[in-house]
Amino acid sequence: MFKFLGMNEAHLDKNRKRTSWVVILTAITMLVEIYFGITSGSMALLADGIHMGSHVLAIGLSWVAYIFVRKVSKKDSFTGDSGKILSLSGYTSGLMLLIFALVILVEAFDRFFHPHVINFKDAILVAIIGLIVNILSALILHHNHEHSDHNIKAAYVHVLADALTSLAAIFGLTAAMIWEIPFIDTIAAIISSFVIITWSVGLLKDTGGVLMDIKQK
């Protein structure tokens, strides 16, 4: 049984199974949202389904990393640090999260100058569905922080970030619908983006430190 980063094979296998369940849950939600977005003509549902696809890609990367680590760590020919594979996956996932946050930020600022008509009921429904799925995913991915697995931490941060955007959207859209002030939704998106950027930068620093063999303080 191999060990690294304070973890053993049992912990890695447990994290792999957790990640695989989240990938399946997120993928099913993505397909449902895209299907009903197309059949109902709701751009909000369709857009959220596509956005969910980006998280399937990121969390799927974490899942593949566990499978790869499990295989290479059992080969005598492999002499590298298996833990760095997980850290590399976490770093890549953190970079993707940062890019997603920046795209949302740019889109939010553009909405100030080019307002869109919002179908509030559909958008709020989508946000609620997204929030429920991400709460379930966060519960599945919740782990003991003493085990320094940056890969599952990256997946965990992804679902927390998505839950934050869903929560902000619910409050922002509801307030905008009640008070008829559409830009409240935009402000909520901007605030969420800055929080997510902070999370992703922290993740990049942690995983980057491991990859560069920099000791954590």
Side-chain angles (χ1 to χ4, degrees), residues 27-119:
I28 291 174
T29 306
M30 174 195 72
L31 293 174
V32 170
E33 288 189 349
I34 290 177
Y35 173 77
F36 282 102
I38 294 173
T39 56
S40 68
S42 171
M43 285 303 298
L45 276 171
L46 183 59
D48 198 67
I50 295 172
H51 171 70
M52 190 72 77
S54 67
H55 287 278
V56 172
L57 178 63
I59 300 172
L61 175 65
S62 297
W63 176 56
V64 170
Y66 285 121
I67 296 175
F68 186 68
V69 164
R70 186 181 180 85
K71 288 185 177 181
V72 300
S73 296
K74 292 182 177 180
K75 292 183 178 180
D76 295 333
S77 59
F78 180 76
T79 59
D81 182 358
S82 303
K84 284 192 175 183
I85 298 174
L86 297 183
S87 293
L88 179 60
S89 173
Y91 185 88
T92 305
S93 190
L95 190 59
M96 293 172 67
L97 187 65
L98 178 61
I99 294 172
F100 296 154
L102 291 174
V103 169
I104 294 173
L105 191 61
V106 170
E107 178 66 19
F109 277 115
D110 182 68
R111 287 292 181 94
F112 277 120
F113 304 100
H114 305 92
H116 291 192
V117 176
I118 301 175
N119 186 329

Side-chain angles (χ1 to χ4, degrees), residues 142-154:
H142 183 70
H143 58 289
N144 295 323
H145 296 286
E146 63 266 20
H147 299 301
S148 303
D149 184 348
H150 290 111
N151 192 44
I152 196 168
K153 179 180 178 182

